[in-house]
Amino acid sequence: MLPFLVGSVSASAQTEVDLALVLAVDVSLSMEFEEQELQRQGFVEAFRSTEVHNAIRKGAIGRIAVMYVEWADASLQEIVVPWYVIEPPADGLKFSASLAGHSILRGRHMSISSAIDFGVLKLRESQVHASRQVIDISGDGVNNQGRMVTKARDEAIAQDITINGLPIMLKRPNPDGSGLESLDRYFRECVIGGSGAFLIPLRTRSHFAEAIREKIVREVVDLPQFQSLNQLARDDRSRCFHDPCSEEGSFC
């Protein structure tokens, strides 16, 4: 079991938090390095922000536990910052500093299902008692390795875990018909789920920091409704396809 990084709170099996949050961040090669840097900096800035600190304070307990994970293919889920109990503002600043001090990994394929499964495992192993459990998935493509993403999602939901999404839609659709123009719909239909689940599509580099900050505030406060920064794509096609590369154990 991985140790906690703790600021003012002593972590133990009795540590109570309003939220246990796994930040699962896409580092596959489909994302340009500049985009990955913007993504990382967005999370660093979010946990420095007064908006996030104030959201944490509004909780019944006033603290949360966060883990930051980078993921790509089925074999790459790397813990960058292990479970960190945040009671603002000091712990939020320490979490940001720890995150900013790590280099960014790179991987080839995208296994959203493996990222979800890894998040479920880490929530199960956590040493906190959380009122809510959330896995936050960012990604710029569809599940193309590992088992079916809908199976991973449904098993997480059955354990009272919510999955939220940040579909990153900065590129034009590929000519091969991969359908990335409707990645937001794919995330909505195939990836996110559970109580209060939501997504924020991200279409411009200038919105990285804003989108990430707003998403974390939404997750911490657990608002009943949320106005996303962008509208969902108007596409009626279901994208929960079973890609041949997604056969369990396959490495395409």
Side-chain angles (χ1 to χ4, degrees), residues 184-235:
D184 47 2
R185 184 167 294 278
Y186 173 82
F187 263 66
R188 187 176 70 174
E189 295 181 355
C190 311
V191 178
I192 71 169
S195 177
F198 71 96
L199 60 84
I200 299 180
L202 180 56
R203 293 187 174 88
T204 63
R205 286 174 169 81
S206 61
H207 284 166
F208 254 107
E210 179 187 3
I212 290 172
R213 183 177 64 251
E214 292 288 343
K215 179 167 56 65
I216 292 174
V217 168
R218 167 68 179 89
E219 287 165 335
V220 171
V221 177
D222 193 29
L223 296 173
Q225 293 186 6
F226 180 74
Q227 179 65 45
S228 76
L229 299 177
N230 297 278
Q231 295 296 317
L232 286 169
R234 295 181 178 179
D235 182 355

Side-chain angles (χ1 to χ4, degrees), residues 27 69-79 105-115 118 144-147 249-252:
V27 292
V69 176
E70 291 180 338
W71 63 272
D73 56 55
S75 62
L76 177 55
Q77 303 92 36
E78 184 74 18
I79 296 173
L105 298 172
R106 299 281 274 172
R108 291 185 59 82
H109 301 289
M110 291 190 65
S111 182
I112 300 175
S113 57
S114 296
F118 188 80
N144 59 30
Q145 195 180 79
R147 67 175 179 149
S250 171
F251 287 86
C252 299

Side-chain angles (χ1 to χ4, degrees), residues 37-227:
E37 286 185 317
L38 286 169
Q39 181 176 225
R40 168 70 69 83
Q41 189 59 32
F43 283 103
V44 169
E45 292 178 7
F47 284 95
R48 290 174 179 165
S49 71
T50 56
E51 292 92 337
V52 170
H53 294 172
N54 289 338
I56 296 172
R57 289 191 186 98
K58 290 178 181 178
I61 299 168
R63 59 177 175 257
I64 66 173
V66 183
M67 171 181 282
Y68 190 96
V69 176
E70 291 180 338
W71 63 272
D73 56 55
S75 62
L76 177 55
Q77 303 92 36
E78 184 74 18
I79 296 173
V80 179
V81 181
W83 285 116
Y84 202 113
V85 176
I86 297 179
E87 191 167 356
D91 299 328
L93 299 177
K94 291 176 183 177
F95 178 87
S96 291
S98 178
L99 181 57
H102 286 82
S103 59
I104 299 173
L105 298 172
R106 299 281 274 172
R108 291 185 59 82
H109 301 289
M110 291 190 65
S111 182
I112 300 175
S113 57
S114 296
I116 292 173
D117 289 340
F118 188 80
V120 170
L121 175 63
K122 295 305 152 186
L123 286 166
R124 189 183 305 132
E125 292 179 349
S126 75
Q127 301 174 42
V128 299
H129 180 271
S131 301
R132 293 180 293 115
Q133 298 183 99
V134 174
I135 300 173
D136 182 329
I137 298 282
S138 72
D140 75 337
V142 300
N143 192 71
N144 59 30
Q145 195 180 79
R147 67 175 179 149
M148 279 288 290
V149 66
T150 49
K151 292 182 179 178
R153 177 201 62 193
D154 293 347
E155 289 179 15
I157 294 171
Q159 298 179 56
D160 201 25
I161 296 170
T162 296
I163 302 171
N164 297 326
L166 183 74
I168 299 172
M169 305 170 66
L170 304 181
K171 300 180 179 68
R172 293 181 178 179
N174 292 332
D176 63 3
S178 56
L180 296 184
E181 75 278 8
S182 37
L183 183 64
D184 47 2
R185 184 167 294 278
Y186 173 82
F187 263 66
R188 187 176 70 174
E189 295 181 355
C190 311
V191 178
I192 71 169
S195 177
F198 71 96
L199 60 84
I200 299 180
L202 180 56
R203 293 187 174 88
T204 63
R205 286 174 169 81
S206 61
H207 284 166
F208 254 107
E210 179 187 3
I212 290 172
R213 183 177 64 251
E214 292 288 343
K215 179 167 56 65
I216 292 174
V217 168
R218 167 68 179 89
E219 287 165 335
V220 171
V221 177
D222 193 29
L223 296 173
Q225 293 186 6
F226 180 74
Q227 179 65 45

